[in-house]
Amino acid sequence: MGSASQDTYTLPPATSPSLGLAHPTDAEKRRTWALNHTHWGGALTLEQYLKREAYFTTIPLTRDGGMTHWILTDSAWSPAAATDSSTRPVLASCESIRKRVLVAYSNPDPGADSTTAAAATVHERVGHGIGSVFTYPEFRGNRYAARMLSDLGPWLRKWQAQDGRDAACSALWSDIGKQYYAKKGWAAFPSLHAEFLVPVPVSVSVDGKESGREEQEEEEESERGKGEGEGEITPISYDNLEPLCQRDEQLLKERLLRTARATRRTSAAFAPDHDTLRWHLYRDDYISSVLFKTAAPFARGAIAGPEGRRVWAVWARSYGGIGAPADNVHKNKLYILRLVIEPEASEEMKEVPSNDIQEAFTAVMQAAQRESSRWHLGKVDLWNPSTIVKKLIDQSGLQHRWVERDEDSIPSMMWYGDEDVRNVEWVANEKYCWC
Ligand SMILES: CC(C)(COP(=O)(O)OP(=O)(O)OC[C@H]1O[C@@H](n2cnc3c(N)ncnc32)[C@H](O)[C@@H]1OP(=O)(O)O)[C@@H](O)C(=O)NCCC(=O)NCCS
């Protein structure tokens, strides 16, 4: 059974003052994971899923207390009241992940000394991603998830605060539509993505052999032969990722200041930093190492164009179905975690993007499609592209369609500042933010 014996324990109303947040024991975590494996296990067996959840506490971003597990439980429950005398009730559960958030104010930050400096500065705050909101099947419909969230929202404002400052926000990605979390204070933000179809796979088989590999190598060779700015691609790997993240963050800070000035709204972004990106890549590695018994190289992204005029994307694989990846190509995707246009500031002033940027963008997306095709991924998804990136997509000639998600992965934010959340610009609301 999932929790305290119901023989002697009557489920309390969700409003009961004896209910509160707590951190689960290791045994409670395992019991929760065993139950939610059917929702989030994907292609992993239960045993592989249990290992993965434990592994997440050891990787960048979520190690060293970066991830916190939460449960809603009942302090009125006592072991003596339960016939099995072992387990307290786990009425709902979730996790939070500490993240860095960058904030630019349109008006001076009320907390700062110099108003001018404050307006021209990007402030660093703590933010929290919330994931895996779950209620054990036998407890559903009692508003326990609602109660947990109504306690957790305000609690996260002070949780892991730095320098005595409140967190900027918490965010989650709803898989149950736009209403449920919005009613609890996490407003739904845009959930548009461009979906690119991937040509028929040049597949990597589970044992590492690649069919059609020779043809692909010839194609890649011819790509490499092209001159600078004409589609030459540098793959992204763990080795060259960090400086790209640093450059990205610098550019994003400038964009936040521009956005705050132009919109006269507070503008915020999750930092696309090395830890955040690596969290996605480690997660991808874990799942792929289970699905493929191969160490075949996988590019983590691609860069095109000369320094100063580069376009790059960092990406990760997602395998949706149960069973062999080759049998679920239509459910498998490559997610563009983050797309960067290095000269974005000058390009966004133009009606039509410059030719070299258009070529670099198209080359990067073609590289994403090639990599997808090798790894049984039927689509490439790019979340919430900026205005300039929308133009680049439309003029790329690449087959794509626009999808507005209504049900799943709806970015939703609770803002802890004075502004109404609807007046906050969430800049770079891309897949790298997700957890
Ligand atoms: C979603 C979930 C956490 C709700 O837990 P709960 O304790 O029963 O939630 P509450 O009693 O607070 O709220 C029930 C509400 O959730 C709604 N809900 C539950 N599942 C839903 C779904 N798949 N789509 C839309 N709404 C859903 C119910 O319709 C009900 O709506 P109401 O408030 O208008 O009556 C629970 O159903 C669950 O664990 N589901 C599986 C995992 C999951 O999908 N988690 C959400 C990830 S974003």
Side-chain angles (χ1 to χ4, degrees):
M1 156 163 188
S3 67
S5 164
Q6 287 175 22
D7 296 343
T8 52
Y9 177 70
T10 308
L11 287 176
T15 50
S16 168
S18 64
L19 299 192
L21 293 172
H23 302 301
T25 63
D26 285 346
E28 285 166 340
K29 279 184 217 164
R30 285 180 69 85
R31 210 165 62 230
T32 303
W33 294 335
L35 286 167
N36 64 32
H37 164 247
T38 50
H39 283 276
W40 296 307
L44 302 180
T45 63
L46 173 60
E47 198 188 335
Q48 290 161 346
Y49 181 69
L50 293 177
K51 275 194 191 146
R52 185 191 76 172
E53 293 306 294
Y55 169 71
F56 278 173
T57 60
T58 68
I59 65 177
L61 191 70
T62 39
R63 65 186 168 206
D64 301 330
M67 173 154 67
T68 312
H69 296 86
W70 304 93
I71 57 170
L72 179 77
T73 189
D74 184 2
S75 61
W77 177 85
S78 82
T83 49
D84 65 7
S85 74
S86 57
T87 52
R88 62 181 169 171
V90 174
L91 299 172
S93 60
C94 69
E95 298 142 14
S96 65
I97 297 180
R98 180 182 52 209
K99 294 168 181 249
R100 292 171 56 237
V101 175
L102 308 169
V103 186
Y105 296 96
S106 61
N107 294 313
D109 176 5
D113 298 337
S114 155
T115 53
T116 327
T121 306
V122 174
H123 301 260
E124 187 168 328
R125 297 275 187 277
V126 166
H128 300 284
I130 301 171
S132 309
V133 174
F134 185 74
T135 299
Y136 290 5
E138 66 267 36
F139 296 150
R140 287 188 191 160
N142 290 309
R143 310 236 163 266
Y144 290 141
R147 169 66 190 270
M148 174 181 72
L149 291 164
S150 76
D151 286 6
L152 185 66
W155 190 259
L156 288 179
R157 176 194 287 267
K158 302 277 178 206
W159 181 244
Q160 298 175 324
Q162 265 168 14
D163 309 324
R165 303 207 66 147
D166 287 358
C169 63
S170 56
L172 54 84
W173 286 262
S174 171
D175 288 334
I176 56 172
K178 297 185 176 178
Q179 300 299 322
Y180 182 78
Y181 294 101
K183 283 187 202 155
K184 292 157 184 63
W186 283 273
F189 275 71
S191 49
L192 180 74
H193 69 255
E195 179 186 277
F196 299 82
L197 285 181
V198 171
V200 182
V202 179
S203 52
V204 175
S205 63
V206 284
D207 58 6
K209 296 199 180 75
E210 295 189 28
S211 60
R213 185 73 188 131
E214 277 173 20
E215 294 89 316
Q216 194 196 0
E217 272 169 3
E218 276 169 26
E219 197 184 303
E220 282 172 2
E221 198 49 52
S222 95
E223 288 286 345
R224 277 193 286 272
K226 288 181 180 174
E228 197 168 81
E230 292 177 43
E232 191 181 1
I233 286 293
T234 304
I236 296 178
S237 67
Y238 283 111
D239 293 339
N240 59 359
L241 181 64
E242 189 168 13
L244 292 172
C245 293
Q246 287 163 351
R247 176 75 175 133
D248 182 11
E249 189 166 325
Q250 181 192 14
L251 293 168
L252 184 57
K253 284 180 176 170
E254 291 165 13
R255 182 170 159 201
L256 282 165
L257 291 170
R258 288 199 305 279
T259 308
R261 267 197 303 271
T263 62
R264 296 178 168 273
R265 289 160 173 245
T266 296
S267 300
F270 284 97
D273 58 27
H274 195 212
D275 277 0
T276 301
L277 272 292
R278 281 188 303 165
W279 180 82
H280 287 276
L281 304 192
Y282 277 59
R283 200 172 178 277
D284 171 348
D285 278 345
Y286 182 89
I287 298 165
S288 302
S289 72
V290 169
L291 297 179
F292 300 95
K293 293 171 190 53
T294 169
F298 170 65
R300 305 309 170 137
I303 318 169
E307 184 128 12
R309 300 209 47 90
R310 290 174 294 184
V311 172
W312 71 83
V314 183
W315 56 59
R317 295 162 284 192
S318 168
Y319 291 98
I322 294 169
D327 299 335
N328 292 300
V329 172
H330 62 292
K331 291 187 186 161
N332 303 337
K333 291 176 181 180
L334 187 86
Y335 280 112
I336 304 292
L337 299 171
R338 175 76 178 129
L339 181 82
V340 180
I341 311 289
E342 203 169 21
E344 184 165 37
S346 56
E347 288 297 315
E348 65 193 6
M349 314 291 286
K350 297 179 181 161
E351 270 299 305
V352 180
S354 306
N355 281 344
D356 64 324
I357 298 304
Q358 182 68 62
E359 279 173 15
F361 171 79
T362 307
V364 165
M365 294 309 294
Q366 283 170 335
Q369 287 179 310
R370 275 200 304 278
E371 205 61 31
S372 301
S373 137
R374 292 180 59 221
W375 290 90
H376 304 289
L377 307 163
K379 295 167 197 157
V380 177
D381 280 5
L382 171 55
W383 282 14
N384 289 324
S386 62
T387 310
I388 155 112
V389 174
K390 277 188 188 149
K391 286 182 196 164
L392 290 166
I393 293 171
D394 286 332
Q395 290 168 35
S396 67
L398 299 171
Q399 200 187 344
H400 67 278
R401 67 180 185 119
W402 293 100
V403 180
E404 178 79 53
R405 299 184 306 281
D406 291 327
E407 279 301 316
D408 62 302
S409 291
I410 311 293
S412 307
M413 182 186 278
M414 177 176 281
W415 184 251
Y416 297 124
D418 294 336
E419 307 83 343
D420 186 312
V421 65
R422 287 164 302 186
N423 290 327
V424 173
E425 289 286 324
W426 183 342
V427 175
N429 179 357
E430 296 173 36
K431 180 72 179 183
Y432 75 90
C433 306
W434 175 92
C435 61

